[in-house]
């Protein structure tokens, strides 16, 4: 094999590291008036059109659409991105390609109605040629050539002519030079910048006797390094392009590609973004990455890429599962594990690579540092789970392959998908095994089953495009409400707009109206409101609107529309409510007080969990209501009773201190730098509320809280459970809810004490004695039933067994025995038969149990597993097992007699007699 070309002879390598390039980019645009904005998480906030954050502009989408205003009009960022779905499905290319990745960083600069292409193009050119010293004669640009919907971009072409000759400016179609984030939302014509690597690189077109196609060629001579998008339109669900409120700029430069160009290498994997990780993998595999297409090098690249993706996803709160984002993460992780095994690494090793990534990326992304322990534990847990999958799944795959080999050589697609989806066997792993056995996999059937699963996951997760760009009710667009609820429980205010809610297709839909009257259910927008709207896990307030005109309405809920408008869901009792009405808006104070007790208790619980379990604990979701709190957090084992008691004790100790709860307004970066915890799934603006219990807890939070911890009252944990792999849940109550629960439990203990004639402290021992007595009586009853069953079959060695081609078969129905009893009875009958097959059937509560036992001399002739597989479908079931013993379940007791009658024929057929 020829050595690959790994360095570009046409570029003098730049001494800048990837970290240097990232810092330089941000600093350059900061000098030109841009605000440096931290990367948003890989999990998009309140955007159902996205699986993962896939571009730098995602966090600015509402700003581009005019729904959100920021205190700056220019921004720059280095954004974490994932592209593993839909039209951006790069997963299959990762490994064979030198520059495709699942996770990558996108450098970008943005203008929100400030500057447009007249400034964006010179800014880009100056950075590349003057700051970074890239040779100007190796840069090319492209512009949109136009189509039947949008004209060509002559303005961009003219701007580029001030820097480039005409023959280095290409005109491309919509596939290359019209950008959009998804099927709906902001979009526009764009201009791409390419770097020319020189003629020394091979070109397939020239090898075929044709000319290289330049920037449109598929060869590696031209590499796109920067895309400048001129945001002009908002694409609607029907394809219509509406103009944005103000033309804007969105640019994206992949850090991996520009680093390869500046460091003078042809493969992204030869940059310092990957080489430390590849070296760490190579140490464990006994291999060195050679930059070739050899299986070893491909596997090294797969592991390196996927290791980055899983680390950043887990740091942002995604955990492996069989649904939605967790499904994608698990798929990536198991692909990496599979390639690790191809490299000869038998033991779990991915979790050992986390520290390499923390060392290389921790400065730019501090969440890797703070979440290091959690990331290691999630990966280690999934590696151990995958090893268990192979132990559990391989025998099932072997059975499927055996059946396929015996019935035409085709593995059914739906069966393969079940192995993939339920038992976690990777598709490539299944395909390899199929090829080894010279069989064929029904890929169409597999893809059909896969698409069905995807549709179910999308429906469950509400992963669907927002109609009309997300605008639910146009007449309310732009109406904003001032919130007074931090300081007031009642506010005199004015009604800005109303809409009537009517039933349509099983849901309430708004209908334009001038007024709401008695009995109407509707939406009301107020000028100011004390009503908190559901956010950060805290449920909305309820209360009333009362006007001097005699109108009264109950506020049942508060919602936020996609454009930011806050609507009060009201039911009018008396009078008329119309735009302009003056009303007093009052919240249910008792409900608010109970809710805020639970919210502050959630903060105390979070801090106590980190104190007891470790700093890896990170919020993964919450619910705060008037009657309880629910808190989901990253942890990897069920909590022990001792841990729960310690957490409960710590929280109540903080409550007894009656520490004042402080609230401050700070910039987001200042707050996080000061130790405030930013919580999973929340979107923060430039200024945030910092809620702190001095010396114990500091969090970013927009919710309502008690004045001092003593206001919370008794804190009691009511439940602890697991909700997903690596995610635990605690439920708890506070205040009068906890007191009521305590009183109820005290009364229950009192009733038990009376019934069992024992004091409360004696109850555990007394109940233990009763349970032991119950077990003893159950065993005696089972033994008595066994004697009756054996007595009924006492002629098994003679008349009750039938001859099936020279093999004795005892088949009968028994009652009153559980599975353990049936197994024991099978053993006794086999001993009595000495040589033969025993088939026993029992049913209870509409369910059928079938057990088959075969004596040792016949296990190869008549395997029990094969017998039960042929008999179980008669009663509407299925099963399997060992050659000497097998069992099955069924759901049709009416067919038991048919099954028993069929048993001798099945045995004779299997024995070939």
């Amino acid at each position: 094999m020829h050595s690959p070309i790994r360095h570009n002879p046409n570029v003098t390598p730049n001494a800048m590291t990837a970290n240097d390039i990232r810092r330089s980019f941000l600093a350059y645009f900061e000098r030109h008036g841009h605000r440096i904005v931290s990367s948003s998480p890989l999990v998009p906030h309140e955007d159902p059109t996205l699986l993962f954050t896939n571009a730098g502009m995602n966090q600015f989408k509402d700003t581009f659409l005019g729904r959100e205003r920021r205190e700056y009009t220019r921004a720059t960022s280095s954004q974490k991105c994932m592209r593993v779905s839909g039209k951006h499905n790069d997963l299959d290319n990762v490994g064979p390609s030198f520059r495709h990745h699942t996770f990558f960083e996108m450098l970008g600069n943005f203008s929100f109605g400030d500057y447009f292409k007249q400034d964006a193009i010179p800014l880009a050119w100056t950075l590349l040629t003057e700051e970074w010293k890239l040779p100007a004669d190796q840069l090319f640009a492209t512009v949109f050539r136009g189509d039947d919907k949008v004209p060509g971009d002559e303005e961009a072409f003219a701007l580029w002519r001030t820097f480039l000759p005409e023959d280095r400016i290409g005109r491309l179609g919509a596939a290359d030079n019209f950008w959009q984030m998804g099927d709906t939302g902001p979009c526009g014509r764009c201009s791409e910048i390419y770097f020319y690597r020189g003629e020394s690189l091979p070109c397939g077109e020239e090898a075929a006797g044709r000319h290289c196609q330049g920037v449109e060629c598929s060869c590696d001579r031209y590499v796109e390094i920067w895309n400048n998008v001129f945001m002009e339109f908002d694409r609607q669900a029907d394809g219509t392009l509406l103009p944005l409120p103000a033309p804007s700029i969105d640019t994206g430069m992949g850090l991996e590609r520009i680093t390869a160009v500046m460091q003078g290498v042809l493969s992204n994997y030869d940059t310092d973004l990957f080489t430390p990780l590849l070296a760490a993998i190579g140490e464990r595999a006994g291999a060195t990455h050679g930059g070739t297409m050899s299986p070893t090098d491909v596997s090294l690249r797969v592991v390196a890429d996927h290791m980055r993706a899983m680390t950043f996803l887990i740091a942002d709160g995604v955990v492996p599962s069989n649904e939605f984002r967790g499904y994608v993460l698990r798929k990536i992780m198991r692909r990496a594990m599979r390639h690790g095994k191809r490299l000869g690494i038998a033991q779990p090793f991915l979790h050992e690579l986390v520290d390499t990534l923390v060392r290389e990326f921790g400065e730019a992304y501090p969440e890797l540092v703070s979440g290091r322990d959690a990331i290691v534990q999630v990966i280690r847990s999934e590696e151990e789970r995958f090893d268990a999958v192979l132990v559990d799944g391989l025998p099932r795959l072997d059975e499927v392959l055996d059946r396929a080999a015996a019935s035409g050589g085709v593995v059914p697609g739906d069966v393969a998908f079940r192995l993939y989806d339920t038992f976690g066997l990777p598709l490539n792993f299944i395909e390899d095994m199929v090829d080894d056995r010279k069989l064929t996999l029904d890929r169409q059937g597999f893809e059909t089953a896969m698409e069905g699963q995807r549709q179910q996951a999308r429906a469950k997760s509400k992963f669907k495009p927002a109609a009309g760009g997300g605008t639910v009710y146009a007449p309310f667009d732009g109406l904003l409400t001032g919130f007074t609820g931090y300081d007031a429980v009642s506010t005199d205010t004015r009604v800005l707009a109303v809409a009537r809610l009517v039933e349509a297709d099983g849901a309430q839909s708004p209908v334009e109206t001038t007024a709401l009257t008695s009995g109407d259910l509707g939406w009301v927008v107020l000028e100011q409101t004390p009503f908190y709207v559901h956010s950060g896990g805290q449920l909305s307030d309820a209360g009333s609107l009362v006007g001097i005109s005699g109108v009264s309405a109950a506020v049942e809920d508060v919602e936020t529309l996609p454009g930011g408008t806050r609507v009060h869901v009201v039911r009018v009792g008396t009078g008329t409510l119309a735009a302009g009405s003056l009303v007093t808006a009052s919240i249910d104070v008792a409900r608010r007080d109970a809710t805020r007790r639970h919210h502050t208790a959630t903060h105390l619980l979070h801090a106590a969990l980190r104190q007891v379990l470790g700093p890896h604990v990170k919020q993964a979701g919450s619910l705060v209501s008037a009657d309880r709190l629910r808190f989901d957090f990253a942890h990897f084992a069920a909590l022990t009773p001792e841990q729960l008691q310690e957490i409960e004790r710590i929280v109540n100790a903080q409550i007894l201190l009656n520490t004042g709860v402080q609230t401050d307004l700070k910039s987001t970066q200042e707050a996080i730098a000061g130790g405030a915890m930013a919580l999973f799934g929340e979107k923060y603006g430039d200024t945030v509320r910092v809620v702190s219990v001095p010396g114990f807890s500091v969090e970013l939070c927009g919710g309502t809280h008690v004045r001092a911890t003593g206001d919370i009252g008794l804190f009691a944990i009511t439940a602890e459970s697991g909700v997903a792999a690596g995610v635990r849940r605690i439920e708890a109550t506070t205040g009068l809810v906890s007191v009521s629960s305590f009183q109820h439990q005290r009364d229950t203990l009192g009733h038990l004490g009376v019934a069992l004639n024992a004091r409360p402290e004696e109850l555990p021992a007394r109940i233990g004695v009763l349970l032991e007595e119950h077990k003893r009586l159950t065993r005696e009853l089972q033994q008595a039933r066994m004697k009756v069953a054996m007595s009924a079959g006492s002629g098994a060695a003679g008349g009750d067994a039938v001859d099936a081609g020279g093999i004795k078969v005892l088949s009968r129905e028994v009652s009153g025995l559980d599975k353990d009893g049936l197994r024991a009875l099978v053993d006794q009958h086999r001993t009595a038969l000495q040589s033969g097959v025993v088939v026993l059937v029992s049913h209870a509560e509409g369910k059928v149990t079938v057990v088959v036992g075969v004596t040792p001399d016949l296990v190869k002739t008549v395997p029990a597993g094969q017998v039960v597989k042929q008999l179980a479908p008669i009663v509407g079931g299925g099963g399997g097992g060992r050659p000497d013993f097998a069992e099955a379940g069924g759901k049709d007791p009416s067919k038991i007699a048919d099954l028993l009658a069929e048993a001798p024929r099945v045995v004779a057929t299997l024995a070939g007699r």
Side-chain angles (χ1 to χ4, degrees):
M1 179 180 294
H2 294 293
S3 297
I5 301 174
R6 301 179 67 178
H7 295 276
N8 186 356
N10 299 291
V11 175
T12 301
N14 194 305
M16 294 176 73
T17 66
N19 285 330
D20 292 336
I21 294 169
R22 187 193 299 111
R23 282 192 293 264
S24 171
F25 182 93
L26 298 175
Y28 171 80
F29 282 102
E30 185 179 36
R31 292 198 306 273
H32 287 83
H34 293 63
R35 171 74 65 84
I36 297 178
V37 180
S38 299
S39 171
S40 63
L42 288 168
V43 178
H45 174 77
E46 292 185 355
D47 190 341
T49 66
L50 279 179
L51 181 66
F52 293 115
T53 299
N54 65 2
M57 64 78 60
N58 289 170
Q59 67 170 311
F60 304 116
K61 181 178 178 181
D62 286 345
T63 310
F64 282 121
L65 290 172
R67 296 174 183 162
E68 176 186 63
R69 290 182 178 86
R70 303 202 177 203
E71 63 182 18
Y72 48 85
T73 57
R74 299 182 175 201
T76 184
S77 69
S78 178
Q79 174 64 50
K80 301 175 292 188
C81 296
M82 283 284 297
R83 288 186 182 172
V84 287
S85 64
K87 67 182 69 176
H88 296 304
N89 190 352
D90 291 337
L91 189 57
D92 291 339
N93 290 324
V94 173
S97 167
F98 293 140
R99 58 176 188 256
H100 278 85
H101 307 292
T102 51
F103 170 85
F104 60 99
E105 295 179 71
M106 184 72 80
L107 304 175
N109 58 288
F110 309 90
S111 162
F112 313 117
D114 185 322
Y115 62 86
F116 202 44
K117 63 185 75 172
Q118 299 89 341
D119 294 305
I121 288 174
L123 278 170
W125 180 261
T126 302
L127 175 64
L128 294 174
T129 60
E130 296 183 18
E131 292 283 323
W132 289 350
K133 309 298 183 185
L134 286 177
D137 59 359
Q138 290 180 245
L139 294 174
F140 287 68
T142 63
V143 298
F144 183 57
R145 67 172 170 237
D147 57 23
D148 57 347
K149 294 182 179 179
V150 182
D153 198 342
E154 297 303 323
E155 183 181 10
F157 186 90
L159 288 166
W160 277 119
R161 280 292 289 115
T162 63
F163 303 109
L164 294 169
E166 186 170 336
D167 62 357
R168 287 183 20 222
I169 308 172
R171 296 178 186 269
L172 303 182
D176 296 288
N177 282 136
F178 194 96
W179 192 94
Q180 60 189 55
M181 184 178 67
D183 294 331
T184 61
C187 57
R189 294 172 291 189
C190 62
S191 177
E192 296 173 322
I193 303 173
Y194 288 78
F195 184 80
Y196 177 55
R197 288 169 157 171
E199 293 185 2
S200 60
L201 297 183
C203 173
E205 292 294 315
E206 289 186 352
R210 298 183 291 269
H211 293 292
C212 178
Q213 300 300 303
V215 294
E216 296 186 79
C217 197
S218 60
C219 69
D220 288 329
R221 292 179 178 177
Y222 298 84
V223 59
E224 178 199 340
I225 58 172
W226 204 347
N227 190 9
N228 280 249
V229 181
F230 312 128
M231 288 289 191
E232 305 166 90
F233 309 110
D234 178 13
R235 185 183 293 277
Q236 306 300 295
D238 62 1
T240 304
L241 297 176
L242 300 180
L244 286 175
S248 300
I249 291 295
D250 158 32
T251 84
M253 172 191 288
L255 178 62
E256 290 75 12
R257 289 195 184 182
I258 191 62
T259 301
V261 167
M262 293 182 66
Q263 292 183 355
V265 295
L266 301 180
S267 168
N268 295 354
Y269 293 94
D270 286 332
T271 69
D272 64 337
L273 287 164
F274 285 93
T275 50
L277 185 56
L278 284 166
I281 300 166
E283 286 178 13
R284 290 157 177 81
T288 300
H289 180 243
T292 71
M293 293 301 294
S294 70
T296 294
D297 281 351
V298 169
S299 290
L300 286 168
R301 291 193 290 270
V302 168
V303 174
D305 174 272
H306 291 6
M307 187 66 216
R308 297 196 333 155
M310 71 181 77
T311 299
F312 278 90
L313 281 172
I314 295 167
D316 280 345
V318 182
V319 293
S321 70
N322 286 333
E323 295 178 345
F324 203 32
R325 297 184 179 102
Y327 181 81
V328 176
L329 173 58
R330 173 163 285 167
K331 183 177 180 180
I332 288 171
M333 294 179 77
R334 293 192 169 178
R335 188 166 186 252
M337 294 170 199
R338 174 174 164 268
H339 279 270
K341 293 190 182 300
R342 281 189 172 186
L343 290 168
I345 307 175
Q347 299 302 316
F349 73 103
L350 295 176
H351 65 281
E352 299 173 353
L353 303 173
V354 172
D355 286 337
T356 301
L357 288 169
V358 172
R359 183 173 62 252
E360 297 299 322
F361 292 90
E363 178 185 344
Y365 301 103
E367 62 269 24
L368 297 184
V369 179
S370 60
R372 181 263 177 199
D373 292 345
I375 297 167
V376 169
Q377 291 189 39
V378 169
I379 294 175
R380 179 61 189 261
S381 175
E382 189 65 14
E383 287 187 286
E384 291 171 349
R385 184 188 296 265
F386 184 62
D387 281 348
V389 159
L390 293 182
V391 171
D392 191 37
L394 277 177
R396 289 176 167 82
L397 176 56
D398 286 335
E399 288 183 12
V400 169
L401 298 179
D402 288 342
R403 288 200 299 270
S407 58
V410 177
V411 176
D414 60 333
V415 175
F417 180 76
R418 197 174 308 119
L419 292 170
Y420 169 83
D421 189 53
T422 304
F423 297 103
L425 290 177
L427 176 57
N428 294 53
F429 189 90
I430 295 172
E431 289 177 323
D432 288 347
M433 295 286 284
V434 169
D435 290 342
D436 289 345
R437 296 282 294 272
K438 301 296 189 291
L439 302 173
T440 302
L441 173 64
D442 172 18
R443 282 302 298 264
Q444 183 58 48
F446 182 94
E447 294 299 334
T448 300
M450 170 75 84
E451 184 57 33
Q453 193 272 352
R454 284 176 180 149
Q455 291 175 1
Q456 290 178 3
R458 286 170 184 159
K460 186 169 183 178
S461 63
K462 300 180 181 178
F463 177 47
K464 56 190 78 169
T471 301
V472 171
Y473 191 56
F476 285 2
D477 277 0
L479 296 181
L480 299 178
T481 300
F483 180 60
T484 63
Y486 290 133
D487 306 308
V489 296
S490 180
T491 300
D492 294 330
T493 185
R494 182 170 63 92
V495 175
L496 297 180
V498 299
R500 181 178 291 108
L501 291 175
V502 298
E503 185 80 20
D505 298 325
Q508 298 287 348
S509 298
V511 174
E512 196 166 356
T513 185
T514 57
L516 299 174
T517 58
S518 179
D520 282 347
L521 180 69
W523 279 348
V524 173
V525 182
L526 300 176
E527 191 171 61
Q528 290 187 311
T529 183
F531 287 86
Y532 186 83
V533 64
H534 186 181
S535 178
Q538 180 177 329
L539 299 186
S540 300
D541 282 319
S544 64
L545 302 180
V546 177
I548 56 175
S549 63
V551 65
S552 68
V555 178
E556 299 178 354
D557 197 5
V558 190
E559 301 172 0
T560 301
L561 303 187
T565 301
R566 182 178 306 207
V567 295
H568 302 72
V569 181
V570 307
R571 190 173 294 278
V572 180
T574 60
T576 300
L577 200 58
S581 297
L582 298 178
V583 296
T584 298
S586 303
I587 65 170
D588 181 333
V589 175
R591 171 172 162 152
R592 163 71 75 81
D593 285 345
T595 301
R596 66 170 126 210
R597 281 194 288 269
H598 283 119
H599 201 152
T600 306
T602 300
H603 286 214
L604 298 181
L605 172 62
H606 193 182
L609 284 165
R610 291 170 63 85
Q611 186 172 319
V612 173
L613 304 179
H616 67 275
V617 168
K618 186 176 183 181
Q619 178 173 334
S622 69
L623 171 71
V624 177
S625 67
D627 61 348
R628 66 191 175 107
L629 69 87
R630 187 181 72 209
F631 188 78
D632 297 343
F633 58 97
H635 190 59
F636 313 97
L639 274 66
T640 66
E642 294 76 18
Q643 288 173 327
L644 290 171
Q645 287 186 7
E646 178 65 6
I647 291 163
E648 204 171 49
R649 186 198 65 76
I650 291 172
V651 173
N652 281 299
Q654 289 296 320
I655 291 170
L656 288 173
L657 289 175
N658 198 29
T659 306
V661 177
Q662 297 181 0
T663 301
D664 301 293
L665 293 178
K666 297 181 179 181
S667 72
T668 304
Q669 293 183 340
E670 178 190 2
I672 294 176
M677 294 189 65
L679 303 183
F680 174 77
E682 290 304 304
K683 182 179 181 180
Y684 300 103
D686 301 311
T687 303
V688 293
R689 296 179 79 244
V690 180
V691 177
S692 60
V693 177
F696 189 72
S697 167
V698 184
E699 292 191 11
L700 306 186
C701 182
T704 59
H705 290 272
V706 299
R707 290 178 295 275
T709 58
D711 296 343
I712 296 172
L714 176 63
F715 171 84
I717 294 175
T718 58
E720 190 274 341
S721 60
V723 294
V727 178
R728 306 298 300 178
R729 170 174 292 172
I730 280 181
E731 297 177 67
T733 58
T734 66
L736 293 176
V737 180
S738 293
V739 172
S740 177
S741 176
F742 165 76
Q743 291 172 334
H744 174 72
Q745 291 177 16
R746 182 181 60 190
D747 291 345
T748 300
L749 282 173
H751 291 314
L752 281 172
V754 171
L756 298 176
N757 191 27
R759 293 190 298 273
E761 62 269 21
E762 296 172 341
L763 284 174
R766 185 63 57 85
I767 292 172
V769 169
L770 291 175
L771 289 174
E772 286 301 318
E773 180 69 6
H774 178 266
K775 289 179 182 178
R776 183 184 65 79
L777 293 172
T778 299
R779 284 195 302 269
E780 291 179 358
L781 179 59
Q782 184 83 335
Q783 290 167 1
R785 287 173 173 169
M786 285 280 294
K787 290 179 180 179
V788 171
M790 282 301 297
S791 176
S794 58
D800 284 358
V802 301
D803 183 278
I807 297 175
K808 286 184 289 186
V809 178
L810 173 64
S811 58
R812 53 187 292 245
E813 182 179 2
V814 296
S815 60
L817 296 181
D818 59 16
K819 282 188 177 181
D820 290 337
L822 286 172
R823 293 187 188 104
L825 188 56
V826 164
D827 288 339
Q828 293 184 27
H829 278 314
R830 282 192 298 192
T831 301
L833 280 176
Q834 296 183 357
S835 177
V837 177
V838 180
V839 179
L840 299 182
V841 186
S842 177
H843 76 91
E845 300 178 353
K847 296 181 180 179
V848 180
T849 301
V850 182
V851 292
V852 176
V854 177
T855 55
D857 60 311
L858 296 174
V859 292
K860 292 185 179 180
T861 306
V862 191
Q866 294 299 319
V867 175
V868 85
K869 284 180 181 179
Q870 295 196 34
L871 291 177
I874 298 173
V875 290
R882 305 187 309 267
D884 64 325
F885 182 87
E887 58 187 343
K891 52 189 177 183
D892 189 357
S894 68
K895 300 292 185 181
I896 289 177
D898 295 341
L899 183 151
L900 296 173
E902 182 70 5
R905 190 198 67 79
V906 168
V907 171
T909 300
L910 287 171
R913 302 177 183 178

